[in-house]
Amino acid sequence: MAEFTTENLRTVAVVGHGAAGKTTLVEQLLTKSRMIGAAGSVERGSTVSDFDALEKSALHSLRSSVSHADHNGVRIHLIDTPGYPDFLGQALGALDAVETVMVVVSATNGIELVTRRMMDWGRQRNLDRLIVVNKIDHENTNLPRLLEQLREAFGAEVLPINLPADGGKRVIDCFDKDSGEADFLSVADVHRQVVEQIVEVDDAAMERYLEQGAVDPATLHEPLEKALRQGHIVPVCFVSARTGAGVQDLLDVIARHMPHPGEGNPPLFVRGEGGEAEEFRSEPDAKKHVLAHVFKIWNDPFVGKIGVFRVHQGTITPNTQLYVGDGKKPFKVAHPLLLQGKELIEVPKLVPGDIGAVAKVDDIVFDCVLHDSHDEDRIHMQPLEFPRPMFGLALEPKRTGDVGRINDVLSKIAAEDPTLAIEHDPVMNETVMRGLSELHLRTVLERMSTAYKLEVGTRPPRIPFRETINAPAEGHARHKKQTGGAGQFGEVFLRVEPLQRGSGFEFVDQVKGGVIPYNLIPAVEKGVREVLASGYIAGFPIQDMRVTVYDGKHHPVDSKEVAFIAAGRKAMLDALAKARPIVLEPIVAMEVAIPDAHMGDITGDLSSRRGHMTGTGNLAGGMMVVQAQVPLSELDGYANKLKSITAGSGSYSMELSHYDPVPPPLQTQLANDYKARHKQAEED
């Protein structure tokens, strides 16, 4: 296998809404670069990217997949990502592994929900963005109007660098050429616009352009890279993944114009935690210490756990010893690997810019940093903001002996998916799986069944209500117990006060004079936290409050940890009784994409669920997006309702927005249910 230097590497995340044709486009890129003999088909389940059995059945990507195309002395690492909002975690994770995010837009469907999100996330991560309009040969397309919509949505910096010609059978370059016949627009005008947009970021190039009235495109590489880094230009290319039109040209654009690792914006590494964290800039230098970031975990049924990473610095060879995060014990890289879909290819080395993998290293986890020197301890990638998993299912074993297996299998699946959360409620003895949607969780259940032969029952979980207080109050308790020998004694005075929503919990020690010895203050806090965890009026965790311990008493013999845990717990309960406690419910921010004909039905349904509309917007193809904030407790069965209203053409996503007080009747119901459960438990 040919070896490539960092300057001859390109990294591209292929993103966009579902059914835009990303996987088919990747097949064409691999075919045109002669990495595979013939393009596979999503419908036949024969593509390099969608090799998983569930993906073949679903006819769309469920997980990101890595491949590479070698073209004109350049290796292009491609990460094909899922496009439906239900599986966005896989697409987001890929952004930290690339210099370029290639947003694929369907010419028939236009700008869709995930199109907007990926363009925004790419901008936030300082990635070079490239828009690829696919399906240019399909009927009922309006490419001039779509280009206008792209510029309206994402700015005047969106400019085509090629145009369709001969009715979408080929494309014509507008970067090097200033003449030719395109299906729409003037090649000369587009060439001029692109050149003028690029020279604006470079004084020398601008001066040459103004003096000569033209500039040789061959001299614009550095200004173009600068414009791409600054988001001053977002190129648009046109292709048909079905026929292959424009795909060879797209390979040329990526290889010639998109950045290598030394040209893109540096990755967002930081050293340290919290307020002490400092920006750390890696260098794409093959001779420096190794620094690599794991952006994907894949559990292969035959090979085992595989960590997929991007090398940002240094060189990985066989027998390289790497540390995982702040771990003290290194592991030895037996075989550096490249990926071509499910195929693992051993290579002699991986250099900065390579996307590689290592197998059978149990300590590797998603988002960890691999390095070969303790000089790189405490370095991590600036966290991505993944959508918070809010849709939940409680799991129950169908066979008595499967309890342990459920936890083991879920931990393996959750390790691969940053938007899948596993929770266990010890009070309710309930294991809850949370994801981005019903489809997301149904796919997980299918994977548990097919890959791990594990069947589970499901039911709706408890809504993650919370409790807080509405007023400041003080609490006092004395715990005294005499048992004939050494007794127990502790006395605590504390005050509670509400904090702003989302502030969490603060514990403050204002004890003076040693009335409570400093080594027993943690015991007081432990007692307080026990109450916070178990709730007060309805059995839900308490949040958004400050607890200040300011006085107390101790006994030189009888005061011990258990006494002050009890005193702290009782004082907290005493304060809560006076602090006007309330129940909070989670409010989710929803985006619902629907045909505009169903606008009234959708807004009416959301209003009936106590929803509050926050905005609407127009999408291409007669679609609209409705934004709303809705209590999570009101969304049971919403997926089926949306499908019924829109005949399956609607989609939605949601993420936690904030917590609000529940209506008084609901609080009364929750409190009564809590009391009834406690009474039943006492009787049992």
Side-chain angles (χ1 to χ4, degrees):
M1 176 174 285
E3 294 185 9
F4 294 83
T5 63
T6 295
E7 290 72 21
N8 292 325
L9 296 176
R10 307 290 184 268
T11 55
V12 180
V14 186
V15 304
H17 202 86
K22 299 182 296 299
T23 298
T24 304
L25 177 57
V26 169
E27 284 294 300
Q28 285 285 0
L29 291 169
L30 296 176
T31 304
K32 296 293 185 183
S33 60
R34 300 183 179 178
M35 305 305 292
I36 57 177
S41 163
V42 171
E43 291 73 22
R44 293 195 302 269
S46 56
T47 64
V48 171
S49 297
D50 291 354
F51 56 84
D52 182 82
L54 289 180
E55 291 175 317
K56 294 179 181 181
S57 173
L59 299 181
H60 61 80
S61 300
L62 301 173
R63 301 188 289 190
S64 63
S65 175
V66 178
S67 57
H68 58 275
D70 298 346
H71 176 71
N72 289 347
V74 171
R75 170 161 290 166
I76 303 168
H77 290 286
L78 299 163
I79 308 177
D80 184 19
T81 66
Y84 290 103
D86 318 79
F87 311 103
L88 271 179
Q90 294 283 322
L92 277 176
L95 298 186
D96 278 341
V98 299
E99 271 75 45
T100 300
V101 55
M102 186 167 82
V103 183
V104 181
V105 179
S106 165
T108 55
N109 296 337
I111 300 171
E112 298 176 270
L113 189 63
V114 175
T115 311
R116 296 176 183 271
R117 289 191 166 194
M118 297 313 299
M119 284 292 289
D120 187 48
W121 277 320
R123 177 185 56 78
Q124 290 179 32
R125 298 302 276 190
N126 292 321
L127 298 174
D128 294 11
R129 291 171 291 165
L130 170 66
I131 296 175
V132 175
V133 176
N134 187 25
K135 305 182 182 181
I136 60 172
D137 60 326
H138 285 221
E139 296 180 0
N140 302 319
T141 62
N142 187 340
L143 296 178
R145 177 57 187 147
L146 176 56
L147 184 58
E148 289 177 12
Q149 291 172 336
L150 288 168
R151 302 194 73 192
E152 290 168 3
F154 306 120
E157 60 269 22
V158 173
L159 289 171
I161 59 172
N162 61 37
L163 288 171
D166 295 343
K169 294 179 181 177
R170 65 182 182 93
V171 301
I172 185 167
D173 174 42
C174 300
F175 182 83
D176 289 307
K177 297 181 180 179
D178 60 2
S179 63
E181 292 294 327
D183 289 344
F184 66 96
L185 296 180
S186 159
V187 173
D189 288 346
V190 171
H191 173 80
R192 176 182 50 79
Q193 289 178 328
V194 169
V195 170
E196 289 180 352
Q197 190 77 6
I198 293 171
V199 300
E200 283 181 359
V201 302
D202 187 278
D203 292 339
M206 174 66 84
E207 187 175 344
R208 290 200 311 272
Y209 181 72
L210 293 175
E211 288 178 354
Q212 303 169 12
V215 63
D216 183 358
T219 67
L220 291 179
H221 180 77
E222 289 187 11
L224 173 58
E225 297 309 321
K226 186 176 181 180
L228 287 167
R229 287 195 304 272
Q230 295 178 357
H232 194 69
I233 186 169
V234 179
V236 180
C237 294
F238 293 86
V239 303
S240 169
R242 180 172 63 178
T243 66
V247 175
Q248 191 76 41
D249 304 80
L250 178 59
L251 281 169
D252 291 338
V253 167
I254 296 172
R256 287 188 55 202
H257 302 315
M258 303 319 290
H260 63 68
E263 293 175 323
N265 288 315
L268 304 173
F269 283 109
V270 293
R271 188 198 296 272
E273 304 289 342
E276 298 180 355
E278 298 177 346
E279 181 179 318
F280 177 86
R281 179 164 294 193
S282 62
E283 298 180 39
D285 186 337
K287 297 180 181 179
K288 287 190 172 290
H289 287 311
V290 172
L291 194 67
H293 175 250
V294 176
F295 67 92
K296 174 180 171 65
I297 296 293
W298 168 30
N299 284 291
D300 183 271
F302 303 104
V303 180
K305 188 176 188 179
I306 298 171
V308 186
F309 54 82
R310 156 70 186 267
V311 182
H312 291 279
Q313 184 176 287
T315 301
I316 298 176
T317 60
N319 298 323
T320 296
Q321 294 204 70
L322 296 178
Y323 297 94
V324 180
D326 295 338
K328 303 304 180 185
K329 184 178 179 181
F331 70 90
K332 185 179 291 186
V333 178
H335 307 288
L337 302 170
L338 282 182
L339 296 173
Q340 194 71 295
K342 67 178 178 180
E343 184 182 359
L344 304 175
I345 305 168
E346 290 188 30
V347 291
K349 64 180 180 180
L350 298 169
V351 299
D354 268 326
I355 294 177
V358 65
K360 300 179 181 178
V361 181
D362 291 337
D363 292 339
I364 286 182
V365 294
F366 174 80
D367 201 32
C368 71
V369 167
L370 307 178
H371 56 98
D372 64 353
S373 166
H374 287 302
D375 291 346
E376 277 70 48
D377 281 351
R378 303 180 67 227
I379 291 176
H380 53 88
M381 189 72 76
Q382 184 172 309
L384 282 160
E385 293 186 9
F386 289 96
R388 183 166 176 176
M390 296 298 298
F391 193 93
L393 284 175
L395 305 182
E396 298 173 333
K398 287 191 173 181
R399 294 191 297 265
T400 307
D402 280 346
V403 175
R405 280 201 68 212
I406 288 176
N407 293 331
D408 180 56
V409 169
L410 285 177
S411 67
K412 289 181 179 179
I413 297 177
E416 301 178 4
D417 188 346
T419 56
L420 181 68
I422 309 301
E423 305 169 355
H424 181 71
D425 185 344
V427 177
M428 299 296 293
N429 192 26
E430 181 178 72
T431 296
V432 177
M433 173 174 69
R434 295 197 182 277
L436 300 183
S437 69
E438 183 181 18
L439 175 60
H440 183 195
L441 296 189
R442 191 167 69 242
T443 302
V444 173
L445 293 173
E446 289 177 8
R447 190 173 300 281
M448 293 173 70
S449 174
T450 57
Y452 296 97
K453 311 302 179 187
L454 178 62
E455 301 287 342
V456 295
T458 63
R459 57 177 173 78
R462 295 177 68 196
I463 297 296
F465 292 105
R466 296 292 183 263
E467 298 180 17
T468 192
I469 56 173
N470 260 345
E474 296 195 352
H476 163 248
R478 173 184 291 181
H479 177 76
K480 186 175 182 181
K481 188 175 181 182
Q482 197 69 37
T483 58
Q488 296 179 11
F489 180 85
E491 188 168 1
V492 172
F493 292 83
L494 55 76
R495 69 175 66 94
V496 298
E497 53 190 308
L499 296 178
Q500 188 175 356
R501 294 278 184 270
S503 298
F505 167 66
E506 293 180 15
F507 182 83
V508 181
D509 173 16
Q510 288 187 354
V511 173
K512 293 181 174 58
V515 292
I516 301 178
Y518 74 91
N519 62 310
L520 291 175
I521 293 297
V524 178
E525 181 178 358
K526 183 176 180 181
V528 168
R529 287 186 177 274
E530 286 180 0
V531 177
L532 292 178
S534 60
Y536 181 73
I537 52 175
F540 300 107
I542 305 172
Q543 64 183 31
D544 302 337
M545 64 183 301
R546 178 184 294 120
V547 176
T548 303
V549 179
Y550 63 90
D551 200 1
K553 291 181 182 178
H554 77 285
H555 187 278
V557 176
D558 294 344
S559 288
K560 46 181 69 78
E561 183 178 349
V562 66
F564 275 94
I565 291 174
R569 183 171 58 246
K570 294 173 183 176
M572 184 67 178
L573 292 170
D574 182 47
L576 288 173
K578 311 165 191 172
R580 292 178 17 218
I582 57 171
V583 177
L584 303 172
E585 64 179 342
I587 308 296
V588 296
M590 297 186 68
E591 284 192 353
V592 189
I594 51 169
D596 53 15
H598 299 293
M599 177 74 171
D601 294 332
I602 293 300
T603 55
D605 179 66
L606 291 174
S607 295
S608 71
R609 298 171 184 266
R610 296 195 283 126
H612 169 64
M613 305 304 129
T614 58
T616 59
N618 293 313
L619 301 176
M623 299 288 285
M624 295 195 70
V625 60
V626 177
Q627 290 140 353
Q629 292 187 341
V630 189
L632 180 62
S633 60
E634 299 288 341
L635 291 175
D636 185 32
Y638 184 72
N640 291 332
K641 182 69 173 180
L642 179 64
K643 183 178 181 180
S644 172
I645 292 176
T646 65
S649 58
S651 63
Y652 76 100
S653 64
M654 64 180 181
E655 56 188 37
L656 179 67
S657 172
H658 61 283
Y659 274 84
D660 269 350
V662 302
L666 179 55
Q667 174 156 319
T668 300
Q669 176 188 334
L670 292 170
N672 289 339
D673 291 346
Y674 179 61
K675 292 176 183 176
R677 288 199 305 271
H678 267 266
K679 183 177 180 181
Q680 183 65 44
E682 290 174 358
E683 292 176 353
D684 292 344

